[in-house]
Coordinates of all heavy atoms in Angstrom, one line a residue:
A469 N -4.0 -1.5 -15.2 CA -3.9 -2.9 -14.6 C -2.3 -3.2 -14.4 O -2.0 -3.9 -13.4 CB -4.5 -4.0 -15.6
K470 N -1.5 -2.8 -15.4 CA 0.0 -3.0 -15.2 C 0.5 -2.2 -14.1 O 1.3 -2.8 -13.3 CB 0.6 -2.6 -16.5 CG 2.1 -2.8 -16.6 CD 2.7 -2.4 -18.0 CE 4.2 -2.6 -17.8 NZ 4.7 -2.1 -19.2
R471 N 0.1 -1.0 -13.9 CA 0.5 -0.1 -12.8 C 0.1 -0.7 -11.5 O 0.8 -0.6 -10.5 CB 0.0 1.3 -13.0 CG 0.5 2.1 -14.2 CD -0.2 3.4 -14.2 NE 0.1 4.1 -15.4 CZ -0.4 5.2 -15.8 NH1 -1.4 5.8 -15.1 NH2 -0.1 5.8 -16.9
K472 N -1.1 -1.3 -11.4 CA -1.6 -1.9 -10.2 C -0.7 -2.9 -9.7 O -0.3 -3.0 -8.5 CB -3.0 -2.5 -10.3 CG -3.6 -3.0 -9.1 CD -4.8 -3.9 -9.3 CE -4.4 -5.3 -9.8 NZ -5.5 -6.3 -9.7
V473 N -0.3 -3.8 -10.6 CA 0.7 -4.9 -10.2 C 2.0 -4.3 -9.6 O 2.5 -4.7 -8.6 CB 0.9 -5.8 -11.3 CG1 2.0 -6.8 -11.0 CG2 -0.4 -6.5 -11.8
M474 N 2.5 -3.2 -10.3 CA 3.7 -2.6 -10.0 C 3.6 -1.9 -8.6 O 4.5 -2.2 -7.7 CB 4.1 -1.6 -11.0 CG 5.4 -0.8 -10.6 SD 5.8 0.3 -11.9 CE 4.6 1.6 -11.7
I475 N 2.5 -1.2 -8.4 CA 2.4 -0.5 -7.0 C 2.2 -1.4 -5.8 O 2.6 -1.2 -4.8 CB 1.4 0.6 -7.1 CG1 1.6 1.6 -5.9 CG2 0.0 0.1 -7.1 CD1 0.8 2.9 -6.0
M476 N 1.5 -2.5 -6.2 CA 1.3 -3.6 -5.1 C 2.6 -4.2 -4.7 O 2.8 -4.4 -3.5 CB 0.3 -4.6 -5.6 CG -1.2 -4.3 -5.7 SD -2.2 -5.7 -6.2 CE -1.8 -6.8 -4.9
D477 N 3.4 -4.5 -5.7 CA 4.8 -5.1 -5.3 C 5.5 -4.1 -4.5 O 6.2 -4.4 -3.5 CB 5.5 -5.4 -6.7 CG 4.9 -6.6 -7.3 OD1 4.2 -7.4 -6.7 OD2 5.2 -6.9 -8.6
L478 N 5.5 -2.8 -4.9 CA 6.3 -1.8 -4.3 C 5.8 -1.6 -2.8 O 6.6 -1.5 -1.8 CB 6.2 -0.4 -5.0 CG 7.1 -0.5 -6.3 CD1 6.6 0.7 -7.2 CD2 8.6 -0.5 -6.1
L479 N 4.5 -1.5 -2.6 CA 3.9 -1.2 -1.3 C 4.0 -2.5 -0.4 O 4.2 -2.4 0.8 CB 2.5 -0.8 -1.4 CG 2.2 0.6 -2.1 CD1 0.7 0.8 -2.2 CD2 3.0 1.6 -1.3
N480 N 4.0 -3.6 -1.0 CA 4.1 -4.9 -0.2 C 5.6 -5.0 0.4 O 5.8 -5.8 1.3 CB 3.8 -6.2 -1.0 CG 2.2 -6.4 -1.0 OD1 1.6 -6.3 0.0 ND2 1.8 -6.8 -2.2
D481 N 6.5 -4.3 -0.2 CA 7.8 -4.2 0.3 C 8.0 -3.3 1.4 O 9.2 -3.3 2.0 CB 8.8 -3.9 -0.9 CG 10.3 -4.2 -0.6 OD1 10.5 -5.2 0.0 OD2 11.1 -3.4 -0.9
I482 N 7.0 -2.6 1.9 CA 7.0 -1.7 3.0 C 6.5 -2.3 4.2 O 5.3 -2.7 4.3 CB 6.3 -0.3 2.7 CG1 6.9 0.3 1.4 CG2 6.5 0.6 3.9 CD1 6.1 1.5 1.0
E483 N 7.3 -2.6 5.3 CA 6.9 -3.2 6.4 C 5.8 -2.3 7.1 O 6.0 -1.1 7.3 CB 8.0 -3.4 7.4 CG 7.7 -4.2 8.6 CD 8.9 -4.5 9.6 OE1 10.0 -4.2 9.1 OE2 8.7 -5.1 10.6
G484 N 4.7 -2.9 7.5 CA 3.6 -2.3 8.1 C 2.5 -1.9 7.1 O 1.4 -1.4 7.6
F485 N 2.7 -2.0 5.8 CA 1.6 -1.8 4.9 C 0.9 -3.2 4.6 O 1.5 -4.1 4.3 CB 2.2 -1.3 3.5 CG 2.3 0.2 3.5 CD1 3.0 0.9 4.4 CD2 1.7 0.9 2.5 CE1 3.2 2.2 4.4 CE2 1.8 2.3 2.4 CZ 2.6 2.9 3.3
N486 N -0.4 -3.2 4.9 CA -1.3 -4.3 4.5 C -2.1 -4.0 3.3 O -2.9 -3.0 3.4 CB -2.2 -4.6 5.8 CG -2.9 -5.9 5.5 OD1 -2.7 -6.7 4.6 ND2 -3.8 -6.2 6.5
V487 N -1.8 -4.6 2.2 CA -2.3 -4.2 0.9 C -3.2 -5.4 0.4 O -2.7 -6.5 0.3 CB -1.1 -3.9 -0.1 CG1 -1.8 -3.5 -1.4 CG2 -0.2 -2.9 0.5
N488 N -4.4 -5.0 -0.1 CA -5.2 -6.0 -0.8 C -5.0 -5.9 -2.3 O -4.3 -5.0 -2.8 CB -6.7 -5.9 -0.4 CG -7.4 -4.7 -0.9 OD1 -6.8 -3.6 -0.9 ND2 -8.6 -4.8 -1.2
D489 N -5.8 -6.7 -3.1 CA -5.6 -6.7 -4.5 C -7.0 -6.1 -5.1 O -7.9 -6.8 -5.2 CB -5.5 -8.1 -5.1 CG -5.2 -8.2 -6.5 OD1 -5.2 -7.1 -7.2 OD2 -4.9 -9.3 -7.0
P490 N -7.0 -4.8 -5.4 CA -8.2 -4.2 -6.0 C -8.5 -4.6 -7.4 O -7.6 -5.0 -8.2 CB -7.8 -2.7 -5.9 CG -6.4 -2.6 -6.0 CD -5.8 -3.8 -5.2
S491 N -9.7 -4.8 -7.6 CA -10.2 -5.3 -9.0 C -10.6 -4.3 -10.0 O -11.2 -4.6 -11.1 CB -11.4 -6.3 -8.7 OG -10.9 -7.4 -7.9
G492 N -10.5 -3.0 -9.6 CA -10.9 -1.9 -10.6 C -10.4 -0.6 -10.1 O -9.7 -0.4 -9.1
A493 N -10.8 0.5 -10.8 CA -10.5 1.9 -10.6 C -8.9 2.0 -10.6 O -8.3 1.2 -11.3 CB -11.1 2.4 -9.3
F494 N -8.4 3.1 -10.1 CA -7.0 3.2 -10.2 C -6.4 3.7 -8.8 O -5.6 4.6 -8.7 CB -6.5 4.2 -11.3 CG -7.3 5.5 -11.5 CD1 -7.5 6.4 -10.5 CD2 -8.1 5.6 -12.7 CE1 -8.2 7.6 -10.6 CE2 -8.9 6.8 -12.8 CZ -8.9 7.7 -11.9
Y495 N -7.0 3.0 -7.8 CA -6.6 3.3 -6.4 C -6.1 2.1 -5.7 O -6.5 0.9 -6.1 CB -7.7 4.0 -5.5 CG -8.4 5.1 -6.2 CD1 -9.7 5.0 -6.7 CD2 -7.8 6.3 -6.3 CE1 -10.3 6.1 -7.3 CE2 -8.4 7.4 -6.8 CZ -9.6 7.3 -7.3 OH -10.3 8.4 -7.9
I496 N -5.2 2.3 -4.7 CA -4.9 1.2 -3.8 C -5.0 1.7 -2.4 O -4.9 3.0 -2.1 CB -3.5 0.7 -4.0 CG1 -3.3 -0.7 -3.4 CG2 -2.4 1.7 -3.6 CD1 -2.3 -1.6 -4.1
F497 N -5.5 0.9 -1.5 CA -6.1 1.4 -0.2 C -5.4 0.7 1.0 O -6.1 -0.2 1.6 CB -7.6 1.3 -0.2 CG -8.3 2.1 0.8 CD1 -8.3 3.5 0.7 CD2 -9.0 1.6 1.8 CE1 -9.0 4.3 1.6 CE2 -9.7 2.4 2.8 CZ -9.6 3.8 2.6
P498 N -4.2 0.8 1.2 CA -3.5 0.1 2.3 C -3.9 0.4 3.6 O -4.2 1.5 4.0 CB -2.0 0.4 2.1 CG -1.9 1.2 0.7 CD -3.2 1.8 0.5
D499 N -3.9 -0.6 4.5 CA -4.1 -0.4 5.9 C -2.7 -0.1 6.5 O -1.8 -0.9 6.4 CB -4.7 -1.7 6.5 CG -5.0 -1.6 8.0 OD1 -4.2 -1.0 8.7 OD2 -6.1 -2.1 8.4
I500 N -2.6 1.0 7.2 CA -1.3 1.5 7.7 C -1.4 1.6 9.3 O -0.7 2.4 9.8 CB -0.8 2.8 7.1 CG1 -1.9 3.8 7.0 CG2 -0.4 2.4 5.6 CD1 -1.9 4.7 8.3
S501 N -2.4 1.0 9.8 CA -2.7 1.1 11.3 C -1.6 0.7 12.1 O -1.4 1.1 13.2 CB -4.0 0.3 11.6 OG -3.9 -1.0 11.3
A502 N -0.6 -0.1 11.5 CA 0.6 -0.6 12.2 C 1.5 0.7 12.6 O 2.3 0.5 13.5 CB 1.4 -1.6 11.4
Y503 N 1.3 1.8 11.9 CA 2.1 2.9 12.2 C 1.5 3.8 13.3 O 2.2 4.8 13.8 CB 2.4 3.7 11.0 CG 3.2 3.0 9.9 CD1 2.7 2.3 9.0 CD2 4.6 3.1 10.1 CE1 3.5 1.7 8.0 CE2 5.4 2.5 9.2 CZ 4.8 1.8 8.1 OH 5.7 1.1 7.2
I504 N 0.3 3.5 13.7 CA -0.4 4.5 14.8 C 0.4 4.2 16.1 O 0.7 3.2 16.6 CB -1.8 4.0 15.0 CG1 -2.6 4.0 13.6 CG2 -2.5 5.0 16.0 CD1 -2.6 5.4 12.9
G505 N 0.8 5.4 16.7 CA 1.5 5.4 17.8 C 3.1 5.6 17.7 O 3.8 5.8 18.6
K506 N 3.6 5.4 16.4 CA 5.0 5.6 16.2 C 5.4 7.1 16.0 O 4.5 8.0 15.8 CB 5.4 4.8 14.9 CG 5.2 3.2 15.1 CD 5.7 2.4 14.0 CE 5.8 0.9 14.3 NZ 6.4 0.2 13.3
K507 N 6.7 7.3 16.0 CA 7.1 8.7 16.0 C 8.4 8.8 15.1 O 9.1 7.8 14.9 CB 7.5 9.1 17.4 CG 6.4 9.1 18.5 CD 6.9 9.6 19.8 CE 5.9 9.6 20.8 NZ 6.3 10.1 22.2
H508 N 8.6 10.0 14.7 CA 9.9 10.4 14.0 C 10.1 11.9 14.3 O 9.3 12.7 13.8 CB 9.9 10.1 12.5 CG 11.2 10.6 11.9 ND1 11.1 11.5 10.8 CD2 12.5 10.3 12.1 CE1 12.3 11.8 10.5 NE2 13.2 11.1 11.2
G509 N 11.1 12.2 15.1 CA 11.4 13.7 15.3 C 10.2 14.2 16.0 O 9.7 13.7 17.1

């Protein structure tokens, strides 16, 4: 539960990550569709 709060804060700081607040397990499942079509190298 403590780690969940920490990783949500860290991922919410990444532009393009859409993060919900999971109520159980030990996963987080961000929507990263904002990156589709982007490039690097």
Side-chain angles (χ1 to χ4, degrees):
K470 183 179 177 183
R471 292 174 188 174
K472 182 195 79 167
V473 173
M474 179 179 66
I475 196 169
M476 282 183 63
D477 287 343
L478 292 167
L479 294 177
N480 275 321
D481 194 41
I482 304 176
E483 186 177 353
F485 271 58
N486 187 5
V487 182
N488 70 324
D489 186 356
S491 298
F494 40 65
Y495 307 108
I496 198 153
F497 202 67
D499 185 318
I500 52 87
S501 55
Y503 290 96
I504 305 300
K506 294 190 175 185
K507 300 179 180 181
H508 173 239

